Amino acid sequence: MNKLIKRRLPLTTNHLSDHPLLNRIYQSRGITSPQELELSLQRLHSPMLLANIEKAVELLQTILEKQGKIVVVGDFDADGATSTALAILALRQFGFKYVDYLIPDRFSQGYGLSPSVAEIVIAKGADLVLTVDNGISSFEGITLLKSHHIQVLVTDHHLPGDELPNADAMVNPNLSDCEFPSKSLAGVGVIFYVMMALRAGLRNAGYFKEKEPNIAELLDLVALGTVADVVPLDHNNRILVNQGLNRIRAGYCRVGIQALVEISKRELSTLQASDLGFAIAPRLNAAGRLDNMALGVELLICDDLNRARQIALELDSLNQTRKEFEQEMKTEALAICAKLPKLAQQDQAHGIVLYQSDWHQGVIGILASRIKDQFHRPVIAFAQESDESEYLKGSARSISGLHMRDLLERIDSQHPDLIVKFGGHAMAAGLTLHKSNLSHFQKAFDETVENLVEPEQLQGVIYTDGELVANELNLSTAELLKQAGPWGQHFAEPTFEGDFRILQQKLLAGKHLKMMVETEQGMLLDAIWFNVDLRNYPDFSIKVARLVYKLDINEFRGNRNIQLLVEHLYV
């Protein structure tokens, strides 16, 4: 679809950087003071600002005193895996001897601390269940655990409903009574904060007779989980990601992360947040999508590099299989979209609901995201819960300005028997439906979206930071921008626009468009457009175009040159 180019406007006139380009970029991202650009650990919010943190620490200290058994219950995505690994490693550092973990099986058990997961935990003889990246909606599972006199500490970041489960303590920055300033912590950020508070509590109680554990060693996991979960990079999250990246670049990271970096053909010393998001996280996520995320957790808690490399190879293979599923499902989804009469008229369709009986449940989230990007509509993709089940599992992805979880809550209130269960965030959510209700839900979804969005929200917009002048198209600018991050969700990596002559076009690996372009001043530059739409490109009739791009550094055989990472092309 045709997208609009809009330039980001400054949100403040405050002086933020002595470098004019950086000053302009920071002003347009809502930074109000130079202090918000300081990324030292001293700038982190205090753990004691989290509601119920004292109770959480008290529960864990009591278990430590009697050396009770803790079972960590995680989630099957990268945030869940890093959260689980961090909890296990920190608790062991602190002297807990009996720490076990459990990752629900996506296909047979579904998300969170369900009754079937609770049954396994009971059989393990747990004294305390610690949830990470889940638990805020696990009513039945927690009730079952409590009936067996097992204590439950919930750490989560998902948005709570009107009621809360009966846990012994609950730490979640999004609880209504929580005054923690950053509501955007990922699950791994929440458990890191709980471990910070626990270490302080144990220190005050005199537990550390010799060397105190350094949980900053776990910031590599925090960085990976935070970027992977695509949470907004507010100041607090940028500190966590930056500090974790610094440790990774210096070689002070888990051998599992090192192995993933190697298999992704990246360099530890130059790793960026975008590498975590687009190269490392997908390989880790592949375990939860196609197999069981216990494989990912084992990688992250492993301390043997050779073993880590073996697991990383398995994950890379799973990721290749995931890509094949994804490509096949996307082709089928586009065929379904082509038959939607409303979608053919750009201003008619509001929400897209897709389902095919043989789609892989572990890949529908990526599929929904890809279709959302293509049509700029909120999308829900469904797959069958299991071969025998009458229920469908759905994965939803939203567009800017439309809160997906709130939208599902609105549908649920207007059509009480339609959705079996749902949960999630503003931009992504999950839900379960009975198969017989699919067409009813499709209609309700489209109508609800229509009532909640303005027409202009359905027009795809690419925001840029304007044009770079000729003397800014160089390595020093590219280096400056890399160091000015970390960039990510709600703190977008700088994107520029400009007119170029297109001198050469060729396909790389059958899917990437490699170009040689020339500026108006005669400067020759390499440009590459990854995963180009092969229906439209290469197009050798295009001689001059306006490119939307990011400035990148291409390193090849010791040579470093700038290249343009093309996001969009206008003739």
Side-chain angles (χ1 to χ4, degrees):
M1 68 182 297
N2 289 324
K3 297 187 179 183
L4 297 176
I5 298 181
K6 286 189 178 181
R7 293 195 181 183
R8 291 189 178 90
L9 299 174
L11 302 174
T12 177
T13 57
N14 296 355
H15 180 77
L16 303 170
S17 172
D18 291 334
H19 193 286
L21 178 61
L22 281 188
N23 194 54
R24 183 176 99 210
I25 288 168
Y26 288 143
Q27 285 178 338
S28 69
R29 280 155 180 76
I31 302 296
T32 57
S33 72
Q35 287 72 37
E36 289 178 59
L37 300 169
E38 295 176 13
L39 301 179
S40 67
L41 288 172
Q42 287 71 32
R43 290 279 175 187
L44 282 176
H45 298 311
S46 166
M48 304 321 292
L49 296 173
L50 283 160
N52 312 315
I53 194 73
E54 295 94 342
K55 179 62 177 173
V57 168
E58 182 187 321
L59 277 172
L60 290 166
Q61 274 190 228
T62 302
I63 293 293
L64 178 59
E65 285 165 6
K66 66 180 185 183
Q67 281 298 350
K69 183 170 186 177
I70 293 182
V71 176
V72 180
V73 175
D75 186 19
F76 38 63
D77 64 2
D79 187 17
T82 52
S83 301
T84 303
L86 190 148
I88 293 165
L89 293 166
L91 291 170
R92 288 176 180 171
Q93 275 187 333
F94 295 163
F96 290 79
K97 292 181 180 176
Y98 306 105
V99 182
D100 199 355
Y101 77 93
L102 179 63
I103 304 291
D105 182 84
R106 179 194 290 267
F107 311 106
S108 63
Q109 295 169 315
Y111 168 79
L113 179 53
S114 62
S116 64
V117 170
E119 294 281 6
I120 299 172
V121 170
I122 292 164
K124 283 178 176 285
D127 295 295
L128 172 74
V129 170
L130 169 61
T131 74
V132 291
D133 192 31
N134 75 96
I136 199 70
S137 58
S138 300
F139 293 89
E140 294 176 0
I142 291 174
T143 298
L144 181 57
L145 290 174
K146 296 296 293 175
S147 72
H148 284 75
H149 309 293
I150 295 171
Q151 292 181 305
V152 181
L153 168 55
V154 168
T155 73
D156 201 351
H157 70 126
H158 293 92
L159 299 175
D162 294 334
E163 296 181 23
L164 297 173
N166 181 33
D168 293 273
M170 200 172 301
V171 181
N172 182 333
N174 290 300
L175 291 173
S176 60
D177 62 342
C178 186
E179 297 180 0
F180 190 76
S182 172
K183 304 299 182 184
S184 301
L185 283 177
V188 70
V190 177
I191 189 61
F192 180 72
Y193 262 88
V194 171
M195 292 300 128
M196 275 204 294
L198 176 59
R199 185 184 63 171
L202 295 177
R203 178 199 301 134
N204 294 337
Y207 270 86
F208 305 124
K209 304 299 182 189
E210 298 172 9
K211 187 180 177 184
E212 182 175 307
N214 178 16
I215 59 169
E217 294 173 359
L218 303 174
L219 281 165
D220 55 347
L221 295 171
V222 181
L224 174 53
T226 299
V227 172
D229 218 45
V230 204
V231 293
L233 291 192
D234 60 11
H235 185 206
N236 207 69
N237 276 341
R238 289 201 310 281
I239 294 171
L240 293 171
V241 172
N242 187 65
Q243 292 291 331
L245 275 171
N246 285 344
R247 294 193 65 85
I248 294 171
R249 291 175 190 139
Y252 299 121
C253 64
R254 305 294 308 166
V255 294
I257 291 179
Q258 181 183 334
L260 286 174
V261 171
E262 286 176 3
I263 202 104
S264 306
K265 296 183 172 57
R266 301 300 199 272
E267 293 291 332
L268 278 180
S269 60
T270 57
L271 205 73
Q272 300 292 317
S274 57
D275 295 315
L276 293 179
F278 295 113
I280 312 305
R283 287 170 168 83
L284 186 58
N285 267 324
R289 293 189 188 285
L290 302 187
D291 195 347
N292 188 292
M293 189 46 101
L295 189 64
V297 175
E298 287 302 311
L299 174 73
L300 296 175
I301 63 176
C302 164
D303 55 13
D304 176 74
L305 182 56
N306 289 328
R307 171 69 180 137
R309 284 171 171 155
Q310 289 174 355
I311 300 174
L313 271 171
E314 287 184 61
L315 293 179
D316 191 58
S317 176
L318 283 170
N319 195 47
Q320 289 301 321
T321 304
R322 185 271 304 170
K323 285 180 181 178
E324 292 164 13
F325 281 142
E326 179 193 332
Q327 188 53 50
E328 188 177 321
M329 287 164 60
K330 185 179 177 184
T331 301
E332 292 165 348
L334 289 173
I336 295 170
C337 289
K339 296 174 185 174
L340 296 174
K342 279 189 167 186
L343 199 56
Q345 306 168 56
Q346 285 287 333
D347 59 342
Q348 294 300 308
H350 296 93
I352 300 174
V353 175
L354 302 166
Y355 165 66
Q356 190 158 298
S357 60
D358 61 349
W359 278 352
H360 196 290
Q361 193 188 131
V363 187
I364 53 173
I366 300 176
L367 176 67
S369 186
R370 298 284 187 263
I371 301 299
K372 182 264 295 185
D373 289 343
Q374 182 137 347
F375 293 102
H376 202 72
R377 297 288 187 275
V379 175
I380 304 181
F382 284 97
Q384 208 156 316
E385 191 175 51
S386 67
D387 290 341
E388 306 79 28
S389 177
E390 290 294 310
Y391 291 94
L392 305 179
K393 286 288 184 73
S395 195
R397 296 293 182 271
S398 195
I399 56 173
S400 181
L402 182 66
H403 196 297
M404 183 55 75
R405 191 197 172 282
D406 288 356
L407 183 150
L408 293 176
E409 191 164 43
R410 183 163 174 158
I411 294 174
D412 190 48
S413 65
Q414 293 175 345
H415 308 269
D417 299 321
L418 192 53
I419 303 175
V420 177
K421 58 182 177 181
F422 66 93
H425 300 292
M427 300 304 289
L431 69 157
T432 302
L433 285 184
H434 194 276
K435 197 188 297 186
S436 62
N437 285 331
L438 181 63
S439 59
H440 183 186
F441 178 81
Q442 283 176 306
K443 187 170 184 291
F445 182 68
D446 191 57
E447 289 173 352
T448 308
V449 173
E450 183 177 6
N451 291 332
L452 292 177
V453 301
E454 299 298 327
E456 56 267 26
Q457 286 178 263
L458 301 176
Q459 170 71 64
V461 176
I462 295 179
Y463 289 94
T464 81
D465 293 288
E467 299 192 28
L468 289 177
V469 296
N471 64 3
E472 290 176 323
L473 280 165
N474 53 43
L475 279 171
S476 61
T477 302
E479 290 282 13
L480 179 80
L481 295 175
K482 281 186 182 295
Q483 292 162 10
W487 308 103
Q489 186 76 351
H490 290 197
F491 197 72
E493 185 175 351
T495 304
F496 305 99
E497 58 182 288
D499 294 321
F500 297 87
R501 282 183 281 278
I502 312 297
L503 303 182
Q504 294 176 11
Q505 299 179 52
K506 65 176 180 180
L507 276 181
L508 293 182
K511 56 183 178 179
H512 310 309
L513 184 65
K514 179 81 170 174
M515 293 177 277
M516 173 72 75
V517 303
E518 184 181 22
T519 68
E520 293 174 347
Q521 293 78 24
M523 181 188 296
L524 296 178
L525 297 165
D526 285 326
I528 189 162
W529 192 352
F530 289 113
N531 298 306
V532 73
D533 187 342
L534 298 175
R535 295 170 299 177
N536 299 320
Y537 300 99
D539 182 346
F540 298 105
S541 70
I542 300 174
K543 303 300 181 186
V544 177
R546 189 160 193 81
L547 302 182
V548 176
Y549 65 91
K550 291 172 181 169
L551 200 59
D552 189 44
I553 299 172
N554 184 32
E555 302 193 29
F556 185 67
R557 293 179 180 170
N559 295 318
R560 303 174 82 245
N561 298 293
I562 61 165
Q563 70 174 353
L564 312 184
L565 297 183
V566 177
E567 304 271 305
H568 215 70
L569 180 153
Y570 294 81
V571 180

